[in-house]
Amino acid sequence: MRALVKAQAAPGLWMCEVPRPTPDSGEVLIKVLRTGICGTDLHIYGWDEWARQHVPVPLTVGHEFVGEVVEVGAGVSGPTVGDLVSGEGHVVCGTCRNCRAGRRHLCAHTDSVGLTRAGAFAEYLVLPAGNVWQHKAGIDLDVAAIFDPFGNAVHTALAFPVLGEDVLVTGAGPIGLMAVAVVRHAGARHVVVTDTNSYRLDLAMKMGATRAIDPTETSIADAQAGLGMVEGFDVGLEMSGSGAALREMVDNMTHGGRIALLGLPSGPVSLDLSTVVLNSLVLTGIYGREMFETWYAMSVLVSQGLDITAAITHRFPSSEYEQAFATARGGRCGKVILDWAP
Ligand code: NAD
Ligand code: ZN
């Protein structure tokens, strides 16, 4: 089968012929239909310090996918052949304290699809049956392909109640964009989005933002004043990984405001903690998706009319992966999809 492989410890990815995997007991074989390119895949392509430290070579990469179950291993009672599925890319240990307590998203021993085990940028993928999510009939295939990052967005956006609240989203990458649609759907009042990329600020408005600003041109305080807000944001969703964005967020929260941190900084971030203390702010880290409450919420939200399609801006056949990766790297895009149809 064809697969996009980190075949050498050097920048790049290579389309290779590799053996089609077979499902072991408790596993399913999925024919991959479409995949999404994630920032993690860009790091692996670029072979930066982080990738060099974490990714074994050779490895088939990619973890955002939708596909069809074509074979099930021994002992699998569901899903069944023909199901349209995506999958949770964090394969948990099942034996640590958190796993045994049902808090699988807090497992400290996860194996990751496309990072530490064979990934989804391939014609076929094997996954434990327990990691598979069956889609509702009629779902858009591109939306289904990005359930993994959509799950990051939903997990973060719903970390705190947003009904009637004013929400600040820093970073309008694909995940920030989807989070805008989620908090809007969930009844937030004002949703202010910041990014330094004008293409993405335009997308943020399409996703339902009240205001989308470049913080190097317009201060968040000015945006608040323009909306008649006087006490600061109730909820903050940090989705850029930028220390500057986090500091601006902390400075613009209401007393007792709540911040969910999804963005991954590339190094240590400095922060005036006295503002956090004196303003009684709550900060929480968000990793991955809840298994499988977030997945349940995603399916319900989409079937109830939440539309995230504007966050998907580019589609390429998998053979044109170089162009797809260049587009994703360039930043004048939302989500970039690879189609694995032959
Ligand atoms: P992305 O890199 O495409 O988007 C980040 C956006 O932040 C970009 O559009 C960038 O222009 C913007 N930005 C940079 N500096 C800014 C600033 N000072 N103010 C406002 N915006 C700024 O990433 P994504 O795929 O949308 O993911 C969002 C973040 O979440 C990334 O940091 C990613 O590493 C992280 N992430 C975390 C998890 C998790 O489980 N915690 C999972 C996936 C991704
Ligand atoms: Zn565990």
Side-chain angles (χ1 to χ4, degrees), residues 241-255:
S242 154
L246 176 61
R247 285 187 288 276
E248 283 162 357
M249 178 174 275
V250 162
D251 287 342
N252 281 279
M253 300 300 293
T254 190
H255 287 210

Side-chain angles (χ1 to χ4, degrees), residues 30-115:
I30 298 162
K31 180 176 167 51
V32 175
L33 298 173
R34 295 188 198 173
T35 57
I37 297 178
C38 170
T40 303
D41 304 319
L42 299 180
H43 287 291
I44 297 174
Y45 185 110
W47 206 232
D48 60 14
E49 181 60 30
W50 173 87
R52 284 198 291 272
Q53 278 178 20
H54 291 90
V55 181
V57 175
L59 181 81
T60 298
V61 301
H63 55 275
E64 303 176 0
F65 75 93
V66 62
E68 185 189 329
V69 175
V70 290
E71 194 182 331
V72 301
V76 174
S77 54
T80 52
V81 170
D83 284 351
L84 185 71
V85 299
S86 291
E88 170 56 58
H90 292 170
V91 179
V92 300
C93 77
T95 56
C96 71
R97 178 179 173 187
N98 279 321
C99 278
R100 296 189 68 184
R103 299 183 294 260
R104 288 185 282 176
H105 62 293
L106 299 178
C107 175
H109 313 287
T110 50
D111 202 5
S112 289
V113 172
L115 188 58

Side-chain angles (χ1 to χ4, degrees), residues 152 171-176 194-197 200 215 239-242 244-245 262-264 286-288:
N152 297 132
I175 301 179
T194 68
D195 203 299
T196 47
N197 174 328
R200 289 182 163 181
M239 305 209 144
S240 73
S242 154
L262 182 90
L264 275 170
I286 302 283
Y287 182 57

